């Protein structure tokens, strides 16, 4: 009896994609992933983000961060369920997510709030900011230990530490939902994706099929 594995695309296509992924240098992922940051800043400086450029800039950077977090979270389910192996890019996706979270936070601190005394007031009075800050604080040690030295130094504890990314993704998606007034479709889609990707990481029952 064989364990059933879902294959949304043919094995030939998966093999071709895996070969292409092995040939793609990781620095290309870093470069292409980081480019939208300067682009959206340029749009803000040149009036391309509408009448409220700071809010639009915050939103764009936060959305990029959430998208990279979800992309990183999708890697293990894709390998397990579809056979697509993108594991070598997971560190890059995680660091790119932290890059955008940091830019998102800096824009809020330096361009939006500006007054240091107001920062604590916002953290206390606005739950969505508290949730977002909690997500950032969870990601901080993960970014600092996303290197070969830390992996060797921490051993098994490294994996345990980096499981905090699951909570960080949920907090990021929840931050997005709470940020928008009322129940809007876009934030709910992202939150559902976060929950769904986490659910896919749960152990699946072994569904057997008849041996051919």
């Amino acid at each position: 009896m064989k364990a059933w594995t879902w294959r949304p695309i043919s094995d030939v296509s998966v093999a071709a994609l895996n070969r292409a992924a092995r040939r793609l240098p990781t620095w290309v992922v870093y470069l292409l992933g980081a480019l939208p940051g300067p682009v959206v800043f340029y749009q803000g400086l040149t009036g391309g983000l509408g009448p409220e450029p700071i809010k639009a800039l915050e939103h764009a950077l936060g959305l990029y961060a959430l998208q990279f977090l979800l992309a990183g979270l999708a890697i293990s389910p894709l390998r397990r369920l579809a056979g697509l192996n993108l594991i070598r890019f997971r560190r890059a996706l995680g660091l790119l997510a932290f890059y955008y979270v940091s830019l998102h936070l800096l824009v809020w601190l330096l361009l939006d709030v500006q007054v240091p005394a107001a920062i604590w007031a916002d953290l206390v009075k606005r739950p969505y900011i508290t949730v977002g800050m909690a997500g950032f604080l969870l990601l901080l040690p993960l970014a600092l230990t996303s290197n070969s030295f830390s992996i060797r130094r921490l051993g098994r504890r490294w994996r345990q530490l980096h499981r905090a990314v699951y909570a960080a993704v949920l907090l990021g998606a929840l931050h997005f939902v709470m940020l928008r007034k009322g129940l809007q479709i876009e934030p709910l889609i992202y939150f559902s994706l976060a929950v769904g990707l986490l659910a896919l990481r749960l152990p699946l029952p072994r569904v057997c099929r008849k041996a051919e």
Side-chain angles (χ1 to χ4, degrees):
M1 305 294 283
K2 299 180 180 179
W4 178 81
T5 304
W6 179 57
R7 286 287 187 267
I9 49 181
S10 71
D11 290 339
V12 174
S13 299
V14 169
L17 288 171
N18 284 335
R19 285 195 299 271
R22 286 194 294 270
R23 295 191 187 103
L24 182 66
T26 307
W27 65 263
V28 174
V29 177
Y30 280 107
L31 179 62
L32 294 178
L35 277 178
V39 170
V40 76
F41 269 103
Y42 176 77
Q43 291 175 330
L45 291 172
T46 56
L49 294 181
E52 295 185 344
I54 294 176
K55 291 294 183 184
L57 183 59
E58 280 184 52
H59 171 73
L61 294 171
L63 198 55
Y64 286 138
L66 186 54
Q67 288 167 353
F68 277 108
L69 283 172
L70 291 173
L73 202 62
I75 285 179
S76 290
L78 281 174
R79 184 174 62 168
R80 183 170 57 149
L81 299 177
L84 187 60
N85 189 0
L86 303 174
I87 195 73
R88 61 192 295 261
F89 303 121
R90 185 159 60 184
R91 182 187 301 183
L93 294 175
L95 289 174
L96 285 167
F98 184 75
Y99 160 72
Y100 283 109
V101 168
S102 300
L103 290 178
H104 175 71
L105 179 61
L106 286 173
V107 168
W108 174 68
L109 290 173
L110 302 179
L111 300 181
D112 192 351
V113 179
Q114 296 184 351
V115 181
I119 295 173
W120 178 252
D122 275 356
L123 283 171
V124 173
K125 293 179 181 178
R126 300 183 181 183
Y128 73 88
I129 294 180
T130 308
V131 168
M133 185 62 72
F136 170 78
L137 292 176
L138 282 175
L139 288 176
L140 182 57
L142 308 189
L144 293 176
T145 57
S146 289
N147 53 74
S148 300
F149 173 78
S150 295
I151 294 173
R152 292 193 301 270
R153 183 78 174 177
L154 295 173
R156 293 182 179 179
R157 290 176 296 171
W158 187 88
R159 287 185 177 274
Q160 295 172 349
L161 173 65
H162 279 249
R163 285 174 185 160
V165 71
Y166 306 150
V169 173
L170 280 178
L171 288 171
L174 182 60
H175 169 72
F176 191 18
V177 172
M178 296 171 70
L179 177 63
R180 295 293 185 89
K181 295 180 179 179
L183 295 178
Q184 297 189 23
I185 296 298
E186 185 186 22
L188 290 176
I189 289 173
Y190 278 94
F191 187 80
S192 299
L193 283 172
V195 173
L197 286 171
L198 287 173
L200 285 174
R201 301 182 71 89
L202 297 173
L204 293 176
R206 294 179 66 85
V207 180
C208 298
R209 62 184 179 183
K210 292 181 180 180
E212 295 181 357

